[in-house]
Amino acid sequence: MKIDWSRNETLVALVILGFCVAAAVSDPGFLSISTLTDLLRGGIVLGIFAVAALIVLISGGIDVSFTAVAAFTMYVTAMILNAAAPWMPWWAALGFGMGVGACLGAFNGVLIAFFGLPTLIVTLGTMSIFRGTMLTFIGQKQITTLPPGMRDFGRMMLLRGENADGSFYSLHGAFAVTVLVVILTWAILHHTMLGRQIFAIGGSSESARRIGINVRQVQFFVYIYVGALAGLAGIIHASMARVANPFDLVGLELSVIAAVVLGGARLAGGHGTLTGTILGVALIVLVRNSLIVLGIPSTWQSVTIGCLILIGTGLPAWQAKRAAARAA
Amino acid sequence: MPALQRILSTTEGRLAVIAFGVFIAMALLSPDKFLSVQNLTSMAFQFPEFAILALAMTITMLTGGIDLSVVGIANMTAIIAALILTNVTGSGDGWAVLALALCVSMVVGMLAGLFNGILIAKLGLPPILATLGSGLIFTGIAIAMTGGSAVMGFPVATAWIGNSTVLGIPTPVIVFALLALGVSLVLTRTGFGIKLRMFGTNPLAARYAAVNIDAMLIKVYIFSGALAATSGMVVMSRANSAKADYGSSYLLLAVLIAVLGGVNPYGGYGRVIGVILAVLSMQFLSSGMNMLQVSNFARELIWGSLLIFVMIMNTWRARRA
Amino acid sequence: MPDALVTLDGVTKTYSGITALDSVSLSIVAGEAVCLAGENGSGKSTLIKILAGVEQPDRGKISFSGQTQGPLNPRISAAAGIKVIFQDFSLFPNLSVAENIAFSAEIGAGARLYRRARIRDLAAHTLQRIGVDIPLDVAVESLSVAHKQLVAICRALATEARLIIMDEPTTALTEREVRVLLGIIRRLKADGVAVLFVSHKLAEVLEVCEHVVVLRNGQKVAEGPATEFDAALLTRHMTGRDVAATPPAPLPANAAVLMTVENLNKEGACADVSFTLHAGEVLGISGLLGSGRTALAKALFGLVAPDRGTITLNGKRIPTGNPLAAAEAGIGYVPEDRLTEGLFLTQSILQNIAIGRLDAHSNAMGVLDLPALMGGARDWLKRLSVKTANPDDPVRSLSGGNQQRVVLARWMARSPRVLVLNGPSVGVDVGSKSEIHGIIADLAAQGLGVILISDDLPEVLATCHRVLVMKSGRITEEFDARAVSETELAHRLAS
């Protein structure tokens, strides 16, 4: 197979590989199942968020409200289910969360698709609205007793085992959900006309309008879908943490977008791959979890991520600038 | 009433009405508390730090860019200043050390802005990504220097910037007023100010009109970095400490104020007076709500709603026109 | 008589007070090719957008096959078989050739799933139908202009097309490619497809047309069988006057050399271009779209960095690839696309002129002498007789001709020595056009060197002393403008 060196995916994959080699050299214990399961665990919520952010970027927009949607959803769902429907099984709780998230996403969708407001400003505003509404009218205290459905889900494991040194490793069941989300999104993006229309409006929304694509409808779908994914991620986060803390998650949005952009999605829209997104998430999780293995203190984490973003977006930007100068 | 209509036809006019309306409403709802000297002074000490960040955001937005690193720069420079203030021993009240700390942090802020400017102008990164990344780096440096804990114990003189009054007026307000005046003059009376607005309107046309775009962009981000550093100094002095993760909600607030103040996020239009009116509306709202015992979080809700409301109004008017 | 395929009856459209189409009626029958001729700004584009369902008319009736239509949208028009090939092609740069071709077909068919094999088949089949070979899987952004146009044509043909509207179809094509296009059109007509050519230069396509309609300032001013029209008559109807091409007086033999360009080379754009420009001379450079004429213009002004070659002005070498240095040396550039490259649309008329003089009117601190700056800009408005109620209004409130004068004023205020004008009268009304030509003549009379880059041959012949013909990046021929006819020049350009 020919390797395309100009793609972000290649670059990120190489950095991951380099990181792993360096980590394995400095600590042979790095290459273990428990490192892998830790990384996978770290990628569950981040991965779903990243898929959501990817779709918005492909459609030519940007969404910074998805973490607020997730926090709102997990808190409100935990509260409602505790009060009104404790019998709800785990899968129904996840579905309920997706519904709540989709409603909040629809709110973004109306403002963006029907009022035609700029996406960054809208989602900045709704982020404050969602968070403010939750903290003002619903509550600020952690919910430590989750509804039974979410508790059950929180205990679900795909596999567990014991390491040679007696410590345990496990892979949470929610990982399967993330995999399903990736597969579903892949199917939508690459095997439905709706998905192709998302790429099309990101490439040129005026051209899309001219050939009869209902741009508003497609945008509306994008923000609802993103809302639903964010809601799902929120429920998973609370279930895994076994507590619904309304102050969690918010603040993560820029790192998520950074991961997606590292993976090659373009802010201008129309470009982005799931492979790249997964690699971007993997790199961010790796830096968060394992920087210490390389002998870099964890206080340097955000410097490292910042540098990765600048290199990951700077190289292609610089290449594009040089190519533009060459092309006349 | 044609006079009223004329006021309402501009973004700034509508904002002035909003700011005035909020002030009256709060004064009526809670006259003894809202209009008390104590409340007015406390408001005057609160708003300058994020208002200065909003000025920085405004000049970058005028070029069609954005500076997401302002809070990172503010905190990094505040920590550097704080480390100087706590580690360099001066004589007397520490005025000399304070001057040194201010100079160093201002230079650092401008260097940070230069870094952003080079990324954006020379390497062609989109401003949103360049400053997102550099913001993480600046915050990261602040964390790495302190391990995440607060730096405290400054010489007495430090309090002068953020915690004193001159002729009865709080120093932060004077600092903000001078900066606002300065930014306003730069934007309207210098070639640089006109160029950056023209660039924000149409970057391609600016290039074709032989505007030195790279130099202009680099200057814009240096300017923004210097403003962010100033804000960092005010925060440090008022809080009498410096911390790497201080004021993270200010980033959103700064963007919000700029947009609320009528600055076009795509570039090309924005006036300092609009930003000032937006700052005042926000401050009246949040203090008033404080008086009325509304939770802090309700402010966030109201800010967000106000932003969306104003955007809908602006788009709606633009569409009708 | 069978019902016409498409009938417009008294269609009127105004944009914020300006009448773009004024009660236009028109009908097209199946298998017929119609020429819709008109200058830029005559209402052609509006008519296309209305037929495509992108814009709604204010008044008037539209019927398809005798059936009166309600409000149109792009889907209804497409379903009725009306396919528009827009001048900018309206393709998706990020998607593959196959997807671009088959996209609207799949949307029209109401497909929910993306059927890759089917899409590739349809695309391959359509490409085959017009006899061209373009790889199916490359992204459209990497194609040449001519290939993009072919993809756009294929997209129109991919579904049942009954009327194909082509907006400015020949600007990017060589004569050979135009012949290929005409062959395709003949085949389509034989299949009963109607074609509406919309253009300001239609001489090439007249031979395949049955019917001609001419628009001017939003009104239909002439209509008739194609046999009754020739290029000259079309021009007369489009412009409303006999454009008597009066070339400028010959240049004095002793005119000094002002600028020398030697071996200017840019891989893939222009190849070893050399020429000289004299003081007081208007030098035309003409070529098809994609001939390298715009790349050359940009290279002269430093917007494109050449691989090698030199530009010398008054004996001094000018650093290449640097617009600031070019402007500093006294070269000005009026770009091709006024709206995206020339103007700051939402900013005031005065500021649009003043931007060129900011550095001249600021002190060491960068503070502007605003009265002097704006006073100077006002003077230029007067000198170029820009018609405006208020110079503080945004520049987008001006008409095309006045906007172009604003861009000219910006450069003239800097007292340049060489002005490069790229398509200076594109999209301006006829009156302004001749006034702009007058301005060009004045500039030359003052001793400036003017380089006029244009494919508007009557304009080139009416304003230039010499004409250089450009083809695939090379200067292939040079003519004395007084010694060459328009037809001859047109042939040299496209052969």
Side-chain angles (χ1 to χ4, degrees), chain A residues 107-120:
Chain A
F107 187 63
N108 280 333
V110 167
L111 291 171
I112 290 164
F114 297 101
F115 284 90
L117 302 183
T119 55
L120 177 66

Side-chain angles (χ1 to χ4, degrees), chain A residues 54 58 182-196 199 272-275, chain C residues 99 112-116 119:
Chain A
L54 171 72
I58 290 176
V182 171
I183 292 173
L184 174 69
T185 308
W186 174 78
I188 291 178
L189 283 180
H190 295 285
H191 289 277
T192 70
M193 285 311 287
L194 180 64
R196 302 321 290 169
F199 274 99
T273 62
L274 282 161
T275 325
Chain C
E99 259 188 279
R112 297 201 171 275
L113 293 181
Y114 171 64
R115 294 164 290 191
R116 193 175 136 82
I119 280 174

Side-chain angles (χ1 to χ4, degrees), chain A residues 58 189-194 196-197 199-214 217 266 269-271 325-328, chain C residues 49 52 54-55 74-75 86 88 90-95 99 103-104 106-107 111-115 119 141 155 266-267 269 295 298 304-305:
Chain A
I58 290 176
L189 283 180
H190 295 285
H191 289 277
T192 70
M193 285 311 287
L194 180 64
R196 302 321 290 169
Q197 291 181 33
F199 274 99
I201 66 171
S204 165
S205 63
E206 181 58 28
S207 298
R209 204 165 73 92
R210 285 183 179 169
I211 67 161
I213 292 177
N214 191 336
Q217 208 177 317
R266 292 191 207 159
H271 292 270
R326 268 199 308 275
Chain C
K49 285 186 183 151
V54 177
E55 299 274 0
R75 278 181 200 237
F86 286 97
D88 64 4
S90 292
L91 297 171
F92 301 107
N94 55 329
L95 300 184
E99 259 188 279
F103 213 117
S104 38
E106 289 290 287
I107 300 246
R112 297 201 171 275
L113 293 181
Y114 171 64
R115 294 164 290 191
I119 280 174
E141 60 195 342
R155 179 164 81 184
K266 172 81 191 171
E267 197 61 42
K298 289 184 176 174
V304 161

Side-chain angles (χ1 to χ4, degrees), chain B residues 125-162:
Chain B
L125 265 78
I128 199 171
L129 291 179
T131 55
L132 166 64
S134 69
L136 282 174
I137 294 180
F138 302 145
T139 309
I141 292 174
I143 295 174
M145 278 190 299
T146 60
S149 52
V151 184
M152 283 179 284
F154 305 142
V156 195
T158 315
W160 175 74
I161 317 168

Side-chain angles (χ1 to χ4, degrees), chain B residues 188-192 194-195 197-199 201-213 268-269 321, chain C residues 298 301 303 324 327 333 335 339-344 346-347 351-352 355 358-359 366-368 370 410-411:
Chain B
T188 54
R189 297 292 157 85
T190 67
F192 169 66
I194 292 183
K195 278 181 203 164
R197 236 176 311 131
M198 299 297 256
F199 174 82
T201 309
N202 185 347
L204 199 58
R207 184 165 141 78
Y208 281 40
V211 170
N212 192 344
I213 293 170
Y269 182 82
Chain C
K298 289 184 176 174
F301 186 61
L303 291 163
L324 301 178
Y333 178 62
L339 300 181
T340 64
E341 300 169 340
L343 292 170
F344 306 89
T346 53
Q347 302 288 349
Q351 290 212 5
N352 267 279
I355 180 117
L358 293 176
D359 296 333
V367 179
L368 289 170
L370 279 176
R410 179 192 305 158
W411 285 109

Side-chain angles (χ1 to χ4, degrees), chain C residues 305-318:
Chain C
D307 318 321
R308 58 172 187 273
T310 59
I311 303 172
T312 316
L313 182 65
N314 273 347
K316 252 188 249 149
R317 280 271 293 269
I318 301 173

